[in-house]
Amino acid sequence: MSASISIEPSDTEPRDSTSHNTVATQLLAAEQAGALDLPLPGAGHTIERWHGLAQLSYRDTVVGRLAEAHADAVAILAEITGRSIPNGSLWGVWAAQPPRPELNATRRTGRWVLDGRKLWCSGATICTHALVTALCNGDWRLFAVDLRQPGVQPVPDTWHAVGMSASDSGAVDFTAADAEAVGEAGDYIDRAGFWHGAIGVAACWYGSACGVAEVLHSAAARGRADEHALAHLGSVTSELRGAAAALEIAAHAIDGDPYDRGGQARIRARATRALVEQAASTTMDRVGRALGAGPLCADPAHARRVADLTVYLRQSHAERDLADLGRDVAGKDFTWWRNR
């Protein structure tokens, strides 16, 4: 596999599925084909991990998003417990922590159980298992849950998004659901891999943005782009190449310091995500300005991809994330080019 991020079009593989069932089928097919068996971050082949996520997201944004969560769950379990996952399983990571409603974990007769409602559960009716954060004595802890038990019930009509509609990201109710603790309180957040995993999301953004850009590139290749459209294509090319370079630099840095002894993981992740987010946003904007409403109205795959990526990018918290990045670097030696 190439040592850099690149996207290669494929005419034989499905792209931009519309239905929940098709997404589930593609995920299972990818799992069975080994496409979800990606190198762990920091193990020397991080760029190959991100290339795999980008390629999946290029083909279908929703499939890529759910594949990233599955791969992240694999990495989390490996880092915290040293365990692998069962063959044929599909995992989610449900770690959003809004103030309400609450999901609580309690110890009963020697076992952990979860009670309450969890929001933002991507793959709620697709995944077989999930890593779920829950409150325990005022602290957030991570738990592994088999979603096929009676005490786990997705809540109908709690996911109304147009973009990412097939990601099945509604609420899930837990009623005395059996769970297994993954590490101790704080282990999920307080590890270098948390920030390495955050960049995997950016790799998916990048792959999906390449799919958006393909419509403009195709028009230019057929001689259907005027000078303004060609200028937009030039800008998109520059942005996406910059994003690819940022991902590649970050991957090599992670492989060189997988345990973050240099203390750069959080800054690296936030900066890389910001760069890729900007590139993806610019790509969508410029493709729209170059080609007008035509592809958004007449090309269902393109329209769906733009809608999906628009929602997916909001997994970033925009200026809040930038403020956090600024807070991280304030007071530090500003020799960032030596500490990537």
Side-chain angles (χ1 to χ4, degrees), residues 169-182:
S169 299
V172 173
D173 281 342
F174 295 79
T175 305
D178 287 323
E180 181 180 352
V182 178

Side-chain angles (χ1 to χ4, degrees), residues 124-331:
T125 64
I126 296 173
C127 295
T128 61
H129 298 73
L131 296 181
V132 183
T133 54
L135 276 171
C136 177
N137 298 322
D139 294 320
W140 289 100
R141 292 190 64 170
L142 188 68
F143 296 87
V145 184
D146 188 328
L147 304 176
R148 297 166 293 185
Q149 58 182 297
V152 180
Q153 294 294 328
V155 183
D157 299 321
T158 53
W159 183 242
H160 304 291
V162 176
M164 299 298 285
S165 61
S167 70
D168 187 26
S169 299
V172 173
D173 281 342
F174 295 79
T175 305
D178 287 323
E180 181 180 352
V182 178
E184 301 296 331
D187 284 355
Y188 168 58
I189 297 291
D190 299 333
R191 60 190 177 89
F194 178 83
W195 295 106
H196 303 339
I199 304 180
V201 175
C204 294
W205 293 343
Y206 166 77
S208 184
C210 287
V212 174
E214 188 179 54
V215 174
L216 177 55
H217 179 266
S218 178
R222 298 194 310 270
R224 297 181 180 178
D226 61 17
E227 288 300 305
H228 294 289
L230 290 172
H232 286 302
L233 178 59
S235 175
V236 165
T237 300
S238 176
E239 291 280 347
L240 291 177
R241 289 201 172 204
L247 288 165
E248 185 171 358
I249 290 168
H252 292 316
I254 288 170
D255 287 338
D257 185 14
Y259 301 108
D260 192 31
R261 293 189 173 92
Q264 292 295 312
R266 185 168 65 186
I267 291 173
R268 181 189 305 120
R270 284 175 168 161
T272 304
R273 282 168 61 101
L275 283 165
V276 177
E277 179 190 356
Q278 179 60 47
S281 296
T282 298
T283 296
M284 288 193 291
D285 180 51
R286 286 192 174 272
V287 169
R289 288 162 61 187
L291 300 179
L296 291 171
C297 299
D299 182 342
H302 176 73
R304 190 159 49 250
R305 179 180 297 282
V306 171
D308 287 345
L309 184 54
T310 298
V311 173
Y312 192 13
L313 281 177
R314 295 283 52 83
Q315 193 165 333
S316 154
H317 299 106
E319 277 66 28
R320 289 182 179 85
D321 284 350
L322 291 174
D324 285 338
L325 176 58
R327 195 171 293 111
D328 284 343
V329 301

Side-chain angles (χ1 to χ4, degrees), residues 15-155:
R15 292 182 56 199
D16 291 293
S17 311
T18 57
S19 74
H20 165 282
N21 289 336
T22 304
V23 168
T25 299
Q26 287 191 62
L27 279 168
L28 287 169
E31 193 276 334
Q32 292 167 2
L36 305 187
D37 186 16
L38 300 170
L40 294 175
H45 302 280
T46 301
I47 193 64
E48 295 179 16
R49 177 183 180 85
W50 291 345
H51 179 276
L53 293 174
Q55 193 74 47
L56 286 164
S57 301
Y58 166 79
R59 295 168 190 159
D60 187 299
T61 305
V62 173
V63 170
R65 186 263 175 273
L66 295 177
E68 185 278 325
H70 174 88
D72 193 34
V74 172
I76 292 166
L77 285 171
E79 185 173 0
I80 297 178
T81 72
R83 291 170 36 206
S84 57
I85 65 169
N87 291 333
S89 58
L90 289 172
W91 287 67
V93 179
W94 301 346
Q97 296 170 179
R100 293 288 185 277
E102 288 185 357
L103 179 64
N104 293 285
T106 54
R107 192 83 167 159
R108 299 181 193 168
T109 61
R111 65 190 181 101
W112 286 102
V113 296
L114 303 184
D115 289 282
R117 176 169 291 189
K118 193 71 172 176
L119 303 182
W120 304 100
C121 299
S122 293
T125 64
I126 296 173
C127 295
T128 61
H129 298 73
L131 296 181
V132 183
T133 54
L135 276 171
C136 177
N137 298 322
D139 294 320
W140 289 100
R141 292 190 64 170
L142 188 68
F143 296 87
V145 184
D146 188 328
L147 304 176
R148 297 166 293 185
Q149 58 182 297
V152 180
Q153 294 294 328
V155 183

